[in-house]
Amino acid sequence: MYILGTKEEVNNNLHILRNSNKTIGLVPTMGALHQGHLELVKIAKQYSDIVVVSIFINPTQFNNQEDFEKYPKTLDKDLELLDKSGVDYLFLPDTMEIYPSKPMLSIDFGHLDKILEGSFRPGHFNGVGIVVSKLLNIVKPHQAYFGQKDLQQVAIIKRLVHDLSFDVKINVVPTVREEDGVALSSRNLRLNSESRQAARIISKTLFFAKSELLGGSPWLSIRKKINQMFESEPKAKLEYFELVTSDSFYVLEDIGEEKNVSICTAAYFGDVRLIDNISIFD
Ligand code: AMP
């Protein structure tokens, strides 16, 4: 695996491949890699000739300085995992390479960045939009791979690619979970053992709510049960638990005729904030 630190190095290495009609797949990450990231790599290797992974902890998408400073960093292990997974190139830029100056542009995603993650993390999706645009412009991949784990981010990126006519196909990879149901996340590394245990409540409530919905229970009564379940887990603090349309992120009062719906949730375990979601009809 080759490690590229600058835009120039990326250009020099990739343009030859592009000219020889190799397809390039990009997997953007913030490092502290786990099986979820590696699943993206695995799928990328199936659909793209050359796989580029980027590791960049993007300061502009953190609305909380402490979360940014405490974001897990495991670079040596990451390099080993990526090398073993058959990744061709790692793009590992420093902050000055991506942000030689503070961007003046900001992106308004309309409704999409005003709800759920957008409303609880103001500015987050602007930072995501800026950094993903930069990565797409630098790497110029034919395909890019993102996790369903960050469902609202997927909606944001699809919007970005559509509205700005980026010439890239976005592929979404299902969420990888631990055996006990907890979605893999770099932030899980920050949980102590009690909080890690408590974090099971997220997937437990998601699976429960999905089966209740499919069984015909009204959303309002499911929500009441979910609140009770969270109240009985003192280590968890629920931020939101909403039924939404999976692409447009409109909050639903009930499932109605909608077929493309998901439940999205966020909760705190101490100072660690975790998100997860589940699709209802697949
Ligand atoms: P991150 O490093 O957290 O920014 O994540 C990089 C990419 O990996 C994003 O597209 C995430 O949605 C995806 N990802 C993170 N966790 C998982 C998971 N458990 N399963 C599948 N994809 C994931």
Side-chain angles (χ1 to χ4, degrees), residues 28-31 34 36-37 40 71 146-147 149-150 153 174-176 184:
T29 82
M30 298 206 296
H34 50 65
H37 298 111
L40 267 65
Y71 198 82
F146 295 90
K149 158 80 169 39
D150 298 280
Q153 173 172 281
T175 303
V176 179
L184 288 166

Side-chain angles (χ1 to χ4, degrees), residues 27-40 54 56 61 71 145-151 153-154 157 171 173-178 182-188 276:
V27 180
T29 82
M30 298 206 296
L33 302 180
H34 50 65
Q35 282 302 322
H37 298 111
L38 298 183
E39 186 66 17
L40 267 65
S54 62
F56 180 64
Q61 73 185 68
Y71 198 82
Y145 298 84
F146 295 90
Q148 191 182 335
K149 158 80 169 39
D150 298 280
L151 190 68
Q153 173 172 281
V154 166
I157 287 163
N171 298 283
V173 177
T175 303
V176 179
R177 298 180 179 281
E178 302 273 12
V182 172
L184 288 166
S185 163
S186 304
R187 286 188 176 86
N188 292 354
D276 200 352

